[in-house]
Amino acid sequence: MEHRLVRAVEEALGWDGPAPLGKDFARGSVGDPQLVTRLLTPARLLDMVMRRSLANPQFRFFKGGEELHPDAYLDRQVTPRGQAIPMAGMRRVGSLLREGATLVLDQSNVFDPTMEVTCRALQWWSREHVQANVYLTTNDASGFDLHWDDHDVLIVQLAGEKQWEVRGTSRPVPMFRDAERNNTPSEEIVWTGTMKAGDVMHIPRGYWHAATRAGRGGGHSTHVTFGFAKRTAVSWLTWLADWSRQEEVFRHDLDRWGSPEEQQVQERRLTDAASRLLDARGPAEFLRLREREAPSGRHVPFLEIFGPLGAVVCVSEFPPLIQEEQETVTVVAAGKKLTFASKALPGLRLLLSGHPVRLDEAAQVVGAEVGTLAKILVEEELCANLTPELSSGYTDLVMSA
C-alpha cells in the first residue's frame, strides 16, 4: 500500500524505509500543507468527539498541568428507558478550549476512517501495530510534564504551533512493566524548538519529552502521535512460555519436596527442553507468525441483501503473504491459509495490494473471475466491502489499484 503520508515522512526524516524507527531522534517537514489538512483538522476532531459516546481515559482533558475530572467535560445523556450514555458536553468542551486546555483523544483510528487507513498503511510499512492519539491544545495551556513513552512515536503537527523539549534516555530501552523505575529525566537535551503545521518528529522509546503552549498567548495546536508497539525480546520469551505448554515436561509441578538428586534431574530436563524450544522457535519465527496470525482490522460486514459487491480493499493488519507454487497460489494472512489455482494470481495481487479496487474496472484488467475472488476474500475477512465511509479514508491519500 502506497500512502502519501508514509512517503512524506520518509522524505522529511531522510529515511529509506522503517529501519531507523526507534533508533535515533529525527525531525523534518513534509512541506505539503494540504496533506496534513487532509489527515485531520481541529474542526473534524471536535465533530468526531461530538458524535460518539466517549469515556475517560480514551477521552481526556488537561488544564494547568492537571487532568480534569470527567464530569468537567462529559454529560450523561439519559434515554427514555433510563439508560445513561456518556457523551461529550460540547458547551463545556467549548468553554475549556476558550479558556486554554488540552483535549486528548486516544485511538482516533477507531473512529475516523482517514486515521484508520493511515494507521494500516504505517503498519504495512513498519510491520508493527500502530495507533493514533490526537492532541488539541488552545491558547497558552501547558502540556504534559517531562515524560517518556514505552513505544516509539511519529508526531505530525497538523495545525498551529507547539513548543517542544526532547531529552535523551536515562535508562536504555525502558519498558512499561520493567525491572526498575525510570523516574529521573535525562540531563541531555536533544532538541528544543517549535513544531509548526507540516513538521514531523520521531521520538524513540525512552526519550524524555514535553510539549506546551505556555506563554504563547492566543492560538492553538493540533498534532497526532502515531505510536508503534514494537516487539522486544521479552515479548519473544513470553511467546515461548505459551508454546512450552505443548511439552509435558513443562506442565509438571516443580519438585519442591523431592531429594536433591530428584530436583537436579528435573532441572536438567527443564533446561534441555527449554534449550530445544529456544532453538526451534527463534525471534524471526516469532515475528513471522505474529504478523501472519494477527486478525484483520474492524470492518463493516458485507451483506448481499443490501446489494452486490462493487468495490473492496484489503483490511489485513499486515501485508498478506502470496506464495506461488507449481499449479497453485497460497495466501497467508489473518491467521488463515487459502489456496487458489495459479490463474488467480493476477487477481489476488490486485485485491490484496492494500489499494481500493473497483471490481468492474478490475475485471477489464485481470478477467471476470476477479469478482468471485473478491467474494471469497471478503468472506474470509482478508478484504472488506469498500463502503463510502471507508472509501473516504483513502481519498487523496491512497490511489485506487
Side-chain angles (χ1 to χ4, degrees):
M1 182 195 310
E2 296 180 6
H3 193 287
R4 286 178 60 199
L5 179 68
V6 175
R7 183 168 62 250
V9 165
E10 286 188 333
E11 293 175 353
L13 300 182
W15 290 1
D16 184 15
L21 190 69
K23 293 184 177 179
D24 297 303
F25 172 82
R27 61 178 299 272
S29 179
V30 301
D32 184 356
Q34 292 184 346
L35 173 57
V36 294
T37 301
R38 173 64 187 86
L39 287 177
L40 187 67
T41 63
R44 273 180 53 206
L45 172 61
L46 293 176
D47 188 82
M48 193 190 316
V49 165
M50 178 188 67
R51 298 182 186 280
R52 288 162 176 81
S53 176
L54 298 171
N56 182 283
Q58 185 173 31
F59 178 48
R60 295 167 288 160
F61 257 97
F62 293 80
K63 187 176 181 181
E66 300 291 334
E67 182 173 358
L68 300 181
H69 190 279
D71 288 346
Y73 53 89
L74 287 179
D75 289 335
R76 298 293 188 273
Q77 295 192 2
V78 181
T79 69
R81 295 191 177 186
Q83 299 166 318
I85 301 175
M87 301 287 290
M90 296 310 293
R91 288 188 179 87
R92 299 184 192 179
V93 167
S95 295
L96 288 170
L97 293 176
R98 289 187 191 97
E99 295 167 2
T102 293
L103 178 159
V104 181
L105 180 62
D106 289 345
Q107 286 190 300
S108 62
N109 47 293
V110 173
F111 305 118
D112 181 71
T114 299
M115 287 296 160
E116 173 195 338
V117 171
T118 303
C119 282
R120 185 175 299 127
L122 288 168
Q123 289 180 174
W124 281 38
W125 171 72
S126 67
R127 307 300 175 92
E128 303 290 350
H129 284 288
V130 181
Q131 79 172 45
N133 300 340
V134 183
Y135 302 80
L136 168 61
T137 302
T138 56
N139 297 330
D140 60 353
S142 60
F144 302 140
D145 293 333
L146 274 172
H147 66 284
W148 57 271
D149 295 322
D150 62 352
H151 51 274
D152 304 319
V153 298
L154 280 174
I155 297 165
V156 180
Q157 186 72 22
L158 300 173
E161 299 180 359
K162 205 167 192 179
Q163 180 72 23
W164 285 78
E165 178 180 305
V166 182
R167 299 189 183 188
T169 60
S170 49
R171 171 174 169 77
V173 289
M175 304 181 70
F176 175 75
R177 183 183 174 191
D178 210 335
E180 61 182 68
R181 294 182 181 274
N182 183 38
N183 295 333
T184 304
S186 168
E187 297 294 331
E188 176 198 7
I189 296 180
V190 176
W191 179 75
T192 58
T194 300
M195 290 281 285
K196 300 180 179 181
D199 287 349
V200 180
M201 179 165 55
H202 167 52
I203 302 179
R205 168 164 58 113
Y207 276 54
W208 293 81
H209 54 279
T212 184
R213 282 191 53 83
R216 301 186 74 88
H220 66 92
S221 164
T222 304
H223 75 266
V224 57
T225 295
F226 295 103
F228 295 76
K230 296 176 72 174
R231 301 300 90 186
T232 67
V234 173
S235 308
W236 170 54
L237 292 176
T238 302
W239 177 76
L240 285 176
D242 290 334
W243 277 104
S244 69
R245 294 178 175 86
Q246 294 190 351
E247 298 289 339
E248 179 184 339
V249 65
F250 292 114
R251 300 199 303 270
H252 282 283
D253 299 337
L254 292 176
D255 191 353
R256 181 189 295 273
W257 307 113
S259 66
E261 291 78 13
E262 290 172 330
Q263 292 179 354
Q264 289 176 2
V265 169
Q266 185 185 52
E267 183 176 341
R268 283 197 299 271
R269 288 175 177 172
L270 289 172
T271 301
D272 291 343
S275 179
R276 291 193 300 271
L277 183 60
L278 289 168
D279 291 339
R281 301 192 179 277
E285 177 77 353
F286 163 59
L287 293 174
R288 184 184 69 81
L289 289 180
R290 172 182 169 272
E291 186 174 324
R292 300 300 171 216
E293 294 173 357
S296 294
R298 298 168 67 248
H299 57 274
V300 175
F302 170 68
L303 301 173
E304 287 188 311
I305 56 176
F306 297 147
L309 189 63
V312 301
V313 67
C314 182
V315 292
S316 62
E317 294 288 84
F318 302 103
L321 176 64
I322 302 176
Q323 297 176 312
E324 299 180 60
E325 299 176 8
Q326 290 185 347
E327 297 182 355
T328 60
V329 178
T330 300
V331 174
V332 181
K336 300 179 180 181
K337 182 177 181 179
L338 309 177
T339 301
F340 301 87
S342 59
K343 65 179 182 180
L345 180 60
L348 291 171
R349 284 179 170 163
L350 188 67
L351 295 169
L352 299 176
S353 65
H355 294 255
V357 179
R358 289 185 54 88
L359 298 181
D360 55 351
E361 297 175 354
Q364 300 176 22
V365 179
V366 297
E369 66 274 6
V370 72
T372 302
L373 281 177
K375 288 183 179 180
I376 294 173
L377 295 176
V378 168
E379 289 173 359
E380 296 294 340
E381 297 188 323
L382 270 64
C383 288
N385 180 28
L386 189 69
T387 63
E389 292 75 18
L390 179 56
S391 178
S392 70
Y394 292 90
T395 304
D396 297 329
L397 295 172
V398 179
M399 293 181 61
S400 297

